[in-house]
Amino acid sequence: MGTNNAVKSAYPPVSPETHLNIWVCNIGGGILGYAQFPGGSLTTDGVVCSPQYFGNTGYVSAPFNKGRTMTHEVGHYLNLRHIWGDGRCRQDDFVADTPSSDGPNYGCPTYPTVNCKSPDMTMNYMDYVDDACMYMFSDGQRNRMRAIFQPGGARASMLN
Ligand code: ARG
Ligand code: ZN
Ligand code: CA
């Protein structure tokens, strides 16, 4: 199926202005989930997750069996970028208190894992580590998420 939004044509989102829509379906290609950032088309707004990685019981597959894929994808839905900014050291995630990095971390990294001359925040939900090894958003990420619910923010209508 891929990250091409096909499922959303078959099953259009319900009230995306006020509700987070979640599709659970096989994506394939090793993709765990994908999300739309705030400000995109309402016809494709929401989060898609493969069933092997959705929730923490039943049809889930280690090491992505603790529901963190949805935590990560909802982070994107609420305007968070990957911790490494999807680029090299100078590429920003627009969050001041997450240190610069130059790519994703995988598995369960030991601390410190140093990239771009500083220890990576590998335990952040917006890295690519195993579910058991990600357990935090930063204050700056919290503030960036909350900002889109302020008056004029991209998801302010959800508070109605
Ligand atoms: N967008 C990422 C992917 O599709 C999700 C990574 C989620 N990471 C996790 N530990 N559950 O690959
Ligand atoms: Zn991601
Ligand atoms: Ca940062």
Side-chain angles (χ1 to χ4, degrees), residues 30-34 64 68-69 72-73 76 82 127-131 134:
I31 309 245
L32 285 64
Y34 63 100
F64 304 112
R68 297 315 191 196
T69 301
H72 176 110
E73 299 308 332
H76 287 314
H82 291 134
D127 206 332
Y128 269 8
V129 298
D130 292 349
D131 279 15
M134 51 167 61

Side-chain angles (χ1 to χ4, degrees), residues 26-104:
N26 284 311
I27 300 170
I31 309 245
L32 285 64
Y34 63 100
Q36 183 167 296
F37 287 112
S41 169
L42 286 176
T43 61
T44 49
D45 201 21
V47 175
V48 186
C49 187
S50 275
Q52 310 91 296
Y53 314 113
F54 184 80
N56 60 3
T57 186
Y59 188 58
V60 290
S61 154
F64 304 112
N65 56 350
K66 296 184 184 299
R68 297 315 191 196
T69 301
M70 281 302 296
T71 310
H72 176 110
E73 299 308 332
V74 173
H76 287 314
Y77 174 85
L78 298 178
N79 212 24
L80 297 187
R81 307 289 164 142
H82 291 134
I83 201 88
W84 66 99
D86 293 311
R88 305 313 300 260
C89 296
R90 286 200 165 104
Q91 191 76 33
D92 203 1
D93 66 349
F94 311 111
V95 173
D97 64 359
T98 55
S100 168
S101 187
D102 64 351

Side-chain angles (χ1 to χ4, degrees), residues 86-126:
D86 293 311
R88 305 313 300 260
C89 296
R90 286 200 165 104
Q91 191 76 33
D92 203 1
D93 66 349
F94 311 111
V95 173
D97 64 359
T98 55
S100 168
S101 187
D102 64 351
N105 294 289
Y106 296 97
C108 198
T110 52
Y111 187 87
T113 295
V114 177
N115 287 296
C116 308
K117 301 181 178 158
S118 59
D120 281 359
M121 196 182 279
T122 64
M123 60 296 290
N124 194 281
Y125 292 128
M126 301 315 289

